[in-house]
Amino acid sequence: MADIEETSGGWRKSTRSSQGNCVEVHIGGTVKIRDTKDQEGPMLLVSREAWQAFIDGVRNGEFDLD
């Protein structure tokens, strides 16, 4: 798993995001997800349970391309 870099305000992104082509997450009561290049733009809000299910799916290979 990639290392995590904390950005301003508690937002986090992968250290593999060298050109800003990724998303940042902020984990609180609700998980906020935003585009690194458009930090003032819209955010996707998901529950902590939905975020954990997504992370588990990534770790289990559910989204791997064949």
Side-chain angles (χ1 to χ4, degrees):
M1 180 173 277
D3 292 327
I4 302 298
E5 172 185 319
E6 186 156 340
T7 61
S8 63
W11 288 89
R12 295 172 174 235
K13 67 178 181 175
S14 170
T15 56
R16 294 184 185 185
S17 173
S18 61
Q19 297 177 354
N21 296 326
C22 72
V23 295
E24 298 175 322
V25 297
H26 186 280
I27 300 175
T30 299
V31 178
K32 302 173 188 171
I33 306 161
R34 70 180 181 189
D35 185 336
T36 301
K37 297 180 304 295
D38 186 12
Q39 295 180 354
E40 299 301 319
M43 286 184 276
L44 177 64
L45 306 176
V46 297
S47 69
R48 290 181 69 112
E49 294 80 15
W51 180 251
Q52 188 61 56
F54 171 72
I55 295 300
D56 292 344
V58 169
R59 288 181 176 151
N60 292 329
E62 291 179 34
F63 308 108
D64 291 353
L65 300 175
D66 292 330

